[in-house]
Amino acid sequence: MTVEETTRRVTKRRVRTRANLLDAAFAVFAAKGFGRVSIEEVCEAAGYSRGAFYSNFDSLDELFFALYQERADLIADQVAGALALDGPGLDVPAAVDRVTEVLLLDRDWLLVKTDFLVHAARDPAVARTLLEHRARLRGAIAERLARAGGRTALPAVLGDIDGAAHAVVAAYDGVTTQLLLDRDVEHARRWLGQLLTALLTDGSGDSTA
């Protein structure tokens, strides 16, 4: 076996180990709560040693941010993909329908994210990193609204495109908080659609108003 083949095999094994650790951590976080989980419990759930953990992550915080990045990327891609189908313009009601149909609304993830949000609120350094990740989702929304340009009028109360992006994420946060309590995913999708349509239009469903 050549050095290149050996390196490739080691790299694949490392990628697999990292993915398994992330999957195990997600399951343990969802079951017990982020603040109640130790590195040892994650290792046990994944079937790895502490050495395997520390060869991939420096801390549980770093592991969580890797998890968060995966889901932030997925949500940003879902939103961007759904909003891209209208071409240069933006049919807001139709785009909202597509976004709410595909958007990740996973209660286990929301439990984990909420636990970590409380943790971040008590640690300014963690909070800064979490804010950076949240900004990526807003950026994907703002970019699409910017490309719609003058073809799609936004309500003046939102101020500008960045304000609209903040409002969209705030609506998502509010609806998902309710979902944590009532566990009704279909209601959450319907309510999110109604709320986003009202935010991004005059409330009538006419995106050109």
Side-chain angles (χ1 to χ4, degrees):
M1 182 179 296
T2 66
V3 172
E4 182 178 347
E5 288 172 333
T6 301
T7 300
R8 190 182 304 117
R9 178 171 295 182
V10 170
T11 300
K12 287 183 178 179
R13 185 168 63 246
R14 182 183 179 87
V15 169
R16 186 168 58 249
T17 299
R18 181 182 177 88
N20 289 340
L21 284 166
L22 288 170
D23 288 344
F26 177 77
V28 177
F29 288 162
K32 300 188 65 174
F34 175 82
R36 299 180 178 87
V37 174
S38 67
I39 290 174
E40 287 77 11
E41 287 173 300
V42 172
C43 293
E44 181 179 355
Y48 293 120
S49 66
R50 286 174 61 91
F53 180 95
Y54 283 114
S55 69
N56 287 276
F57 306 103
D58 290 335
S59 65
L60 286 176
D61 282 2
E62 183 181 335
L63 183 151
F64 175 83
F65 281 123
L67 274 175
Y68 192 92
Q69 186 68 60
E70 285 184 347
R71 280 148 180 87
D73 287 347
L74 174 60
I75 292 172
D77 288 345
Q78 288 172 333
V79 171
L83 295 180
L85 296 179
D86 288 321
L90 183 62
D91 180 344
V92 170
V96 166
D97 284 345
R98 291 194 300 272
V99 168
T100 54
E101 182 179 349
V102 303
L103 190 61
L104 178 69
L105 289 174
D106 178 71
R107 191 171 180 275
D108 281 346
W109 168 240
L110 296 174
L111 283 169
V112 173
K113 187 179 75 168
T114 302
D115 278 342
F116 195 77
L117 179 63
V118 173
H119 169 62
R122 294 188 172 96
D123 187 326
V126 177
R128 283 194 296 271
T129 305
L130 188 57
L131 286 169
E132 290 169 3
H133 283 275
R134 286 172 60 82
R136 185 181 184 280
L137 177 58
R138 292 198 304 272
I141 298 167
E143 180 184 5
R144 182 60 186 95
L145 293 175
R147 284 193 285 114
R151 302 178 184 86
T152 303
L154 294 171
V157 70
L158 296 178
D160 56 16
I161 289 171
D162 286 338
H166 272 273
V168 168
V169 174
Y172 174 77
D173 286 342
V175 169
T176 53
T177 297
Q178 181 67 26
L179 174 58
L180 280 173
L181 300 176
D182 65 23
R183 302 170 183 254
D184 190 339
V185 175
E186 292 309 311
H187 177 265
R189 291 194 189 281
R190 289 195 303 272
W191 177 232
L192 183 60
Q194 294 167 359
L195 190 53
L196 291 180
T197 299
L199 277 171
L200 297 177
T201 69
D202 63 354
S204 68
D206 180 2
S207 63
T208 61

